[in-house]
Amino acid sequence: MEAALCRAGEVQRAVGVLLDRERGVSNTVSQHLQGAQPWMDQLSLRLSQMEETEHYLSYLKWIARIEELSDTIQQHMMTSNVWEAASGLVAMAELDIRLQDSSCGHLLSFIRDTVRFWHKILKDKLTSDFEEVLKQLHWPFISPPQTSLAPPANGAELHNQLESLFAQLLKLQTSDDLITEQRQLPERCGLPPSPPLALPIQIMLLPLHKRFRYHFTGSRQTNVLSKPEWYLTQVLMWIGNHSDFLEEKVQPILLRASSAIDARLQFSSGLLTLALEKLSCDASRLLYDDALFCHLVDEVLLFEKELRGTHAYPSSLPGALHILTEETIFQKWLTVERKFALEKMDSMLSSEAAWSSQYKDISDVDEMKAPDCAETFMTLLLVITDRYQDLPSPRCRLSFLALQKELVDDFRIRLTQVMKEESRTPLGPRYCAILNAVNYIAAVLADWADSVFFLQLQQAELELGAESPSWPLSPTQAGRLASLEGSVFDEMITLLERLRHDMMGRLVEFILREARERAKPYCRERWLSLPSQSDQAAMSLSSSACPMMLCLRDHMLQLQQMLCFPLFKSCWQALAERLDLFIYQDVILSNHFNEGGAAQLQFDMTRNLFPLFGHHCKRPENYFKHVKEGCIVLNLNVGSALLLRDVLRQGGSETNSPLDPNQPSPVATLNELGIFRLAPSDVEILLSLRTHWPGQ
C-alpha cells in the first residue's frame, strides 16, 4: 500500500513537470506567432496579388486566344478559304462551351458576340452559295419527281458543289446551336422534344416554309378552317417529292462526313413542325363546331396513318396525334365521339332492317345470325378502336376504352328495353334477333379481349391504377387483371351474359308452358287400362300426345331457323331437361301403369319424343334420364321387378340382418339395369306405380 502511494506521488510530480514545460513551450509559440503575424499579413497580401495577377493573365490569354482565332478566321476569309474559316469558328464555339460555367460575364459576352459575328458572315456567305446550287438543282421539288424538270447538264459539278457547301454548313452546326434557339411548339401541346435540325437542312426547308406560310396563313383563300386536308396533304406531298433526292444525294454526304443525321427524317420533322403549329391553332378555333372539329380529327388520323406508314416516320417523335391529346382538345374529341356514336345507335335501332341479318341468305357466313343493328354497332366500336389505338398517351387510350364500355352498356340497356316489349312473344323474330345480338356482342368482346392491343391496355390500366390512387380500379379488379384471369371487358361481358341467360330462360319457359298446356290430355291418359303390346297389331303414338309433339316440333324448327347454333343448342338442351322433369313428375309419378300403359309410354318417349331431339345430337335420351330410367323400371318383366323390389327392400331395411356380401347392393343392381340417375327410393316409388304384379 505504501509502495503504491509512493509511486502515485512520483507520477504526480512527473505530470507537474510536464505541465510546466507545456506552458513554457506554449508561451514561446504564442510570442513567435505574434512576432511573425506582420510577415504573414504581408505574405497573404503578396499571394492575393499574385493570384489576382494570374487571373488577369488568364483573362488576357482567353481574350488573346479569341482574338487569335478571330484573326485566323479573318485571314482565311480574305483568302476565300471558307473551310479553314469554318474550322476556326468551330474552335471558337468550343471555347464558348468551355466557358459556360465562368462568372466572367463580360468575357462570355465578348466570345458570344465574336462567335455570332463570324457565324453570321460565314452563314450568309455559305447560305447564299448553297441556295444558288439548290436553285440550279430545281430545289424545292414542288411537283412529283416524275414531272419535275430535267437535270441540268452540269449535274456532276453541281452535286460536288452541293457536297462541299453542305459539309461546310455542317461545320457551323456547333456555333449555330449556341446562338440560335430552335423553334418550339407551345408548351400546352405537351409534345416530346425533337432533335434540333441540321443547319443545311434548315436552309433547304426555308423555301417550303415560305410557301406554307404564304398559302395557309393570313387571308389567303387556301387558309380555310373547314379544309385542314389542304395543308396536311401538302406537307405529305412535299415529304414524298423530296424523299428520293434526300436519300440518294444528301444522305451519302452525311455518311462521308461521319454524321449520324438522317436527312429524310430531319426534313420531314421540319415540315411536320409547320403542320403541327397550324393544327394546334386551328383545333382551338373549332372547339365549338362539332361537324368541323370531327372533320379535323378524321383528317388528322388519315394524315398520321400515312405519315407513320407510307413515310415511315418514327413513333418516338411527336406527330399530329400529340396535338389531339392536349386536354381541352382531347375532351372535345371524346364528347364528339360520344355524341355521334349515340346518334348512330339511334339510327341503327330505328332502321327497318335493324333486326334482320344482312347475311341471312348466305348460310356459311351467317353463323352468328347477328342482326344488322348488332353488326353495325360492333363496326362502330371497331372504327373507334382504329381511331384511338395509335394515341401516344396510355391515359387517353384508356379514356376511349371507357367510352367504348359506356357505349356497350348503353346499347345493352336499349336491347333490354326492346326485349321487354317483345317478351310476350319470345318466339317472335325480333326477340330471337335481340338474343342473337346479345350473344354476338359478348362473343366479339371476348375475342377482342385476347388481342394484343387490349392486353396492352389491360397492362396500362394496371400501371395507371398503381400510380394514381384516384384511378377507378378496385383491388378485386386489379387482382383479376394482373393474373390475366379477367379482361378489360369483363364487366360488360358479365352483364351481357346475364341478359342472355334471362332471355333464354324466358324463351324456354314460354315453350314449356305451351307444351304443358298441350300435354294436359296426355297427363290424364288411362295408363292403367291400355291394351298390352301383344294385343296390338302395331303400336302408334298416343293420340293425346300429338298436340304436345307437334308443339315441340314446330317450336324447335322455329328456334333452329331464328337462333344461331350455340344459342339453339343451349336452348334445346335446357328445354329437354325441363321436359324430362315435367314428364317424369306430371305423367309418370302422377299415374299408375299396367303392362300396356308402360309399353305405350316407352314407345311414345323412345320412338317419338327422343327422335325430336335426335336431329341435334346422337344420344338424345341422355337429356331425358328421368324419363328413360322411369320407362326402364315400368317395363321390367314381372320376375325382374320382383327381384329388384326385394333387393331394394332388403337394402333399405334397418332391422334385417346385413345382406349377403356376395349379393350386389341396390345401387349396383340399378346400375346393371341402366339406372344411374334415380335413387333407390325413387325406384321403389316407380315400382309401386306398376299394376301388373302376380295375383293382380
Side-chain angles (χ1 to χ4, degrees):
M1 186 67 179
E2 292 180 0
L5 290 174
C6 291
R7 182 62 181 161
E10 292 175 359
V11 170
Q12 185 177 8
R13 286 191 294 273
V15 170
V17 172
L18 290 174
L19 289 174
D20 291 340
R21 292 176 61 187
E22 186 272 334
R23 281 193 292 270
V25 171
S26 177
N27 291 333
T28 303
V29 170
S30 297
Q31 292 173 4
H32 178 74
L33 289 176
Q34 289 176 0
Q37 187 63 43
W39 296 95
M40 292 176 63
D41 292 341
Q42 292 180 13
L43 181 60
S44 296
L45 179 61
R46 292 287 184 270
L47 290 174
S48 177
Q49 291 173 348
M50 289 174 63
E51 186 177 350
E52 185 176 359
T53 302
E54 287 180 352
H55 288 168
Y56 289 148
L57 288 173
S58 177
Y59 195 92
L60 292 173
K61 286 179 181 179
W62 280 106
I63 293 177
R65 178 58 179 159
I66 295 169
E67 290 180 341
E68 179 185 350
L69 288 173
S70 180
D71 291 341
T72 301
I73 295 171
Q74 183 177 13
Q75 291 174 9
H76 289 312
M77 289 297 294
M78 292 175 65
T79 58
S80 299
N81 192 346
V82 180
W83 181 265
E84 292 299 332
S87 299
L89 182 58
V90 171
M92 189 181 295
E94 290 174 350
L95 287 182
D96 191 331
I97 295 172
R98 289 172 59 188
L99 288 170
Q100 290 299 313
D101 297 329
S102 173
S103 59
C104 302
H106 293 294
L107 179 62
L108 291 175
S109 299
F110 174 66
I111 190 170
R112 182 61 56 84
D113 290 342
T114 307
V115 169
R116 185 179 289 108
F117 173 79
W118 286 116
H119 178 82
K120 183 178 186 307
I121 292 175
L122 285 169
K123 181 180 176 181
D124 288 348
K125 175 173 178 50
L126 292 174
T127 299
S128 175
D129 295 342
F130 191 55
E131 288 177 340
E132 182 62 29
V133 172
L134 290 174
K135 184 177 180 181
Q136 293 183 54
L137 290 171
H138 310 303
W139 182 276
F141 309 134
I142 304 304
S143 55
Q146 60 268 22
T147 60
S148 61
L149 297 174
N154 57 341
E157 180 184 351
L158 287 175
H159 285 114
N160 289 334
Q161 294 178 18
L162 175 72
E163 179 169 359
S164 175
L165 292 168
F166 197 99
Q168 292 176 52
L169 285 167
L170 274 180
K171 297 194 73 171
L172 300 185
Q173 190 65 50
T174 304
S175 56
D176 191 70
D177 292 340
L178 282 175
I179 66 176
T180 306
E181 293 184 1
Q182 292 290 328
R183 177 197 302 275
Q184 295 293 335
L185 290 178
E187 292 183 2
R188 68 180 182 81
C189 299
L191 293 176
S194 12
L197 300 182
L199 181 57
I201 299 294
Q202 294 179 38
I203 297 171
M204 295 174 78
L205 284 167
L206 285 176
L208 295 175
H209 281 205
K210 292 178 182 178
R211 285 177 176 273
F212 188 92
R213 291 194 176 88
Y214 177 83
H215 289 293
F216 303 115
T217 58
S219 58
R220 300 290 175 185
Q221 293 183 350
T222 47
N223 182 28
V224 184
L225 274 177
S226 60
K227 298 292 183 182
E229 61 270 28
W230 286 356
Y231 65 85
L232 293 175
T233 303
Q234 185 64 77
V235 167
L236 291 175
M237 287 179 60
W238 284 343
I239 292 175
N241 291 349
H242 297 84
S243 292
D244 291 343
F245 181 85
L246 292 167
E247 290 180 353
E248 296 172 6
K249 305 300 181 182
V250 177
Q251 193 61 43
I253 299 174
L254 290 165
L255 293 175
R256 286 190 286 272
S258 301
S259 173
I261 295 173
D262 186 325
R264 185 168 176 268
L265 178 59
Q266 288 220 344
F267 182 82
S268 301
S269 178
L271 288 177
L272 185 59
T273 300
L274 292 173
L276 297 189
E277 286 180 341
K278 175 68 174 170
L279 177 61
S280 178
C281 177
D282 286 1
S284 301
R285 297 168 62 189
L286 294 176
L287 292 177
Y288 302 101
D289 191 320
D290 290 352
L292 290 183
F293 183 86
C294 191
H295 176 63
L296 175 70
V297 171
D298 290 340
E299 292 300 328
V300 168
L301 293 173
L302 291 173
F303 171 81
E304 186 80 6
K305 185 168 292 187
E306 185 170 352
L307 179 70
R308 306 289 184 183
T310 305
H311 299 290
Y313 196 73
S315 58
S316 58
L317 295 179
L321 287 180
H322 286 81
I323 303 296
L324 296 184
T325 56
E326 191 274 321
E327 186 61 25
T328 305
I329 298 173
F330 181 72
Q331 290 303 323
K332 177 62 178 180
W333 184 9
L334 275 180
T335 302
V336 170
E337 288 284 353
R338 182 182 292 105
K339 173 187 174 182
F340 283 104
L342 292 175
E343 290 178 358
K344 183 67 175 177
M345 288 163 61
D346 291 336
S347 173
M348 70 178 71
L349 288 173
S350 60
S351 168
E352 294 182 0
W355 305 108
S356 61
S357 172
Q358 55 183 322
Y359 306 113
K360 59 185 177 182
D361 298 326
I362 312 174
S363 58
D364 294 340
V365 178
D366 197 29
E367 293 181 358
M368 299 296 287
K369 296 187 177 179
D372 185 67
C373 63
E375 289 268 10
T376 307
F377 176 70
M378 295 313 292
T379 302
L380 172 66
L381 291 185
L382 185 60
V383 169
I384 292 176
T385 302
D386 290 339
R387 288 161 70 84
Y388 80 83
Q389 66 180 354
D390 294 323
L391 286 177
S393 165
R395 183 180 289 272
C396 290
R397 293 197 295 270
L398 288 172
S399 296
F400 263 101
L401 176 63
L403 171 62
Q404 288 180 304
K405 292 181 180 179
E406 179 186 331
L407 294 176
V408 172
D409 197 49
D410 187 276
F411 195 73
R412 178 188 61 82
I413 293 172
R414 293 174 188 236
L415 291 178
T416 303
Q417 292 171 344
V418 180
M419 180 272 292
K420 290 180 178 179
E421 296 174 1
E422 300 293 327
S423 58
R424 294 181 181 178
T425 55
L427 282 172
R430 181 170 292 189
Y431 187 93
C432 291
I434 296 171
L435 187 52
N436 285 329
V438 172
N439 180 72
Y440 172 73
I441 295 172
V444 173
L445 290 179
D447 185 57
W448 286 1
D450 294 330
S451 67
V452 174
F453 174 69
F454 285 107
L455 287 174
Q456 290 173 342
L457 277 187
Q458 181 173 333
Q459 182 63 30
E461 190 168 19
L462 281 171
E463 293 173 356
L464 198 58
E467 295 173 1
S468 174
S470 61
W471 189 257
L473 195 63
S474 68
T476 303
Q477 291 174 318
R480 285 180 57 80
L481 290 176
S483 63
L484 296 181
E485 292 180 4
S487 71
V488 292
F489 293 114
D490 265 3
E491 295 179 16
M492 300 298 101
I493 294 174
T494 299
L495 291 173
L496 289 166
E497 288 178 344
R498 188 179 302 168
L499 175 59
R500 179 179 62 192
H501 183 267
D502 177 56
M503 294 183 69
M504 289 284 289
R506 291 170 185 257
L507 186 57
V508 171
E509 183 61 33
F510 178 82
I511 298 174
L512 189 64
R513 189 165 53 247
E514 284 203 4
R516 282 175 173 171
E517 186 67 27
R518 305 289 179 86
K520 285 182 178 179
Y522 191 64
C523 295
R524 295 192 295 266
E525 185 70 60
R526 296 176 59 81
W527 300 104
L528 52 79
S529 61
L530 292 179
S532 65
Q533 187 173 359
S534 60
D535 296 337
Q536 301 182 56
M539 295 192 71
S540 60
L541 175 65
S542 300
S543 59
S544 57
C546 289
M548 178 185 70
M549 298 293 181
L550 289 173
C551 171
L552 292 173
R553 185 200 66 182
D554 293 343
H555 289 341
M556 292 275 285
L557 183 60
Q558 283 180 284
L559 291 178
Q560 188 175 15
Q561 292 174 344
M562 292 188 295
L563 294 180
C564 66
F565 177 74
L567 287 178
F568 174 66
K569 181 180 179 181
S570 299
C571 191
W572 73 254
Q573 289 177 351
L575 180 61
E577 292 175 0
R578 297 286 299 277
L579 277 172
D580 178 43
L581 290 175
F582 163 66
I583 295 174
Y584 178 70
Q585 294 172 355
D586 289 40
V587 177
I588 296 178
L589 295 182
S590 299
N591 291 282
H592 288 76
F593 297 83
N594 64 2
E595 183 181 357
Q600 183 64 51
L601 176 68
Q602 186 172 33
F603 180 83
D604 292 342
M605 296 298 103
T606 60
R607 301 293 296 277
N608 292 278
L609 178 63
F610 296 172
L612 277 180
F613 295 84
H615 296 291
H616 316 298
C617 64
K618 292 182 179 180
R619 299 181 64 84
E621 63 274 10
N622 289 338
Y623 294 93
F624 293 88
K625 291 184 178 180
H626 290 88
V627 172
K628 181 185 74 171
E629 295 178 5
C631 289
I632 291 174
V633 175
L634 293 176
N635 285 276
L636 286 174
N637 60 52
V638 176
S640 299
L642 288 172
L643 290 173
L644 178 60
R645 185 170 64 179
D646 291 342
V647 170
L648 294 177
R649 285 178 178 177
Q650 291 176 12
S653 173
E654 297 180 359
T655 59
N656 294 344
S657 59
L659 294 173
D660 185 347
N662 296 323
Q663 184 175 352
S665 66
V667 174
T669 303
L670 293 177
N671 291 346
E672 288 179 3
L673 295 173
I675 299 171
F676 300 92
R677 173 61 63 85
L678 297 179
S681 58
D682 297 327
V683 175
E684 287 191 76
I685 294 173
L686 289 172
L687 289 173
S688 69
L689 299 179
R690 291 169 57 111
T691 60
H692 47 293
W693 295 102
Q696 293 182 353

